[in-house]
């Protein structure tokens, strides 16, 4: 599984911690983890909406299988992600929430509160939360005696999600083009999209001029 770590600029100082905690959480599981920022040294600021758009792009074009993200409260990022194609994002402020989201809902993104309530031992809660998120296979169901029903519900939720939402390919041209161009100008994200994304995203992001082809 390819896991992308990215969060909004409001909590850019937490980026190294979020990345390191994710690495430790999936240690020895064979997953690949990429840190896509926002990095502490970045002067440009990116909102939770712009970051969520990139998460949707990464998941929609199969460049990433899972996105670990967040903002100050975690709520805005979760809402923005769930408003966009190809994303089923859980809000996971505690280890219990993370464990249940992973086992029951089996989504492809998790939003963490990186500012709200992040006091003494905040880094410990973050690590334990990510540990529980990746503590086993996604979508296995919980509790065990209800696993089959929980799996069916999760599959139904994902089906409804795809029926209700149009694809990113259909939506991209109708989004505000300044938002799309700004997202695609991220020099640390676009090479990742080009390397791992499928054909349609490579037609949109051109190495000789990022952002060209959006009108199509």
């Amino acid at each position: 599984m390819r896991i992308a770590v990215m969060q909004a600029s409001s909590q850019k100082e937490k980026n190294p911690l979020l990345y390191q905690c994710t690495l430790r959480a999936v240690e020895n599981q064979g997953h690949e983890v990429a840190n896509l920022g926002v990095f502490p040294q970045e002067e440009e600021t990116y909102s939770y909406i712009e970051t969520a758009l990139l998460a949707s792009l990464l998941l929609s074009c199969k460049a990433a299988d899972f996105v670990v993200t967040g903002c100050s409260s975690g709520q805005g990022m979760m809402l923005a992600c769930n408003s966009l194609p190809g994303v089923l994002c859980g809000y996971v402020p505690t280890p219990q929430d993370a464990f249940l989201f992973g086992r029951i809902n089996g989504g492809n993104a998790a939003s963490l509160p990186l500012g709200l309530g992040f006091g003494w031992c905040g880094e410990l809660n973050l690590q334990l939360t990510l540990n529980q998120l990746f503590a086993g296979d996604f979508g296995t169901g919980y509790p065990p005696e209800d696993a089959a029903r929980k799996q069916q519900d999760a599959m139904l939720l994902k089906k409804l999600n795809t029926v209700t939402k149009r694809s990113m390919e259909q939506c991209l041209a109708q989004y505000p083009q300044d938002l799309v161009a700004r997202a695609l100008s991220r020099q640390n994200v676009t090479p990742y999209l080009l390397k791992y994304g499928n054909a349609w995203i490579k037609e949109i992001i051109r190495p000789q001029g990022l952002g060209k082809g959006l009108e199509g």
Side-chain angles (χ1 to χ4, degrees):
M1 182 163 64
R2 283 195 298 269
I3 302 169
V5 173
M6 58 193 314
Q7 86 302 319
S9 289
S10 61
Q11 293 296 321
K12 67 180 183 179
E13 298 303 324
K14 301 267 178 46
N15 171 265
L17 177 64
L18 184 62
Y19 176 56
Q20 290 300 322
C21 286
T22 304
L23 282 177
R24 286 192 287 268
V26 300
E27 191 175 11
N28 301 322
Q29 293 187 27
H31 301 315
E32 173 188 319
V33 183
N35 188 2
L36 302 181
V38 175
F39 302 108
Q41 66 271 22
E42 287 190 65
E43 295 183 2
E44 199 71 41
T45 60
Y46 297 93
S47 71
Y48 67 91
I49 298 173
E50 292 162 339
T51 306
L53 176 58
L54 285 173
S56 178
L57 280 167
L58 287 162
L59 293 167
S60 294
C61 76
K62 311 301 182 184
D65 302 302
F66 196 94
V67 175
V68 173
T69 187
C71 60
S72 293
S73 70
Q75 293 282 10
M77 186 69 76
M78 180 270 292
L79 290 169
C81 283
N82 283 324
S83 298
L84 294 164
V87 190
L88 191 62
C89 181
Y91 172 61
V92 292
T94 70
Q96 295 99 319
D97 289 302
F99 177 82
L100 293 173
F101 172 69
R103 309 297 79 74
I104 295 175
N105 308 115
N108 56 10
S111 179
L112 296 114
L114 299 173
L116 181 66
F118 203 99
W120 191 57
C121 276
E123 70 281 0
L124 179 59
N125 181 68
L126 178 62
Q127 184 65 71
L128 293 173
T129 299
L130 287 167
N131 288 353
Q132 290 303 310
L133 177 64
F134 294 105
D137 294 332
F138 281 75
T140 54
Y142 185 87
E145 60 269 22
D146 291 330
R149 178 175 63 83
K150 296 288 188 178
Q151 289 174 348
Q152 290 176 354
D153 288 345
M155 290 176 62
L156 177 59
L157 177 61
K158 291 176 182 179
K159 181 177 181 179
L160 293 175
N161 196 42
T162 58
V163 170
T164 304
K165 296 177 181 178
R166 291 179 296 163
S167 70
M168 176 57 81
E169 293 176 83
Q170 294 173 305
C171 293
L172 201 55
Q174 297 185 46
Y175 288 152
Q177 292 304 288
D178 56 343
L179 171 66
V180 176
R182 181 170 165 77
L184 292 178
S185 71
R186 290 288 303 277
Q187 294 302 306
N188 56 317
V189 179
T190 47
Y192 195 82
L193 287 166
L194 286 167
K195 182 176 181 180
Y196 294 112
N198 53 24
W200 69 263
I201 195 67
K202 295 177 182 180
E203 289 299 316
I204 293 169
I205 304 174
R206 304 185 188 282
Q208 69 273 21
L210 297 178
K212 289 184 178 180
L214 296 178
E215 68 281 354

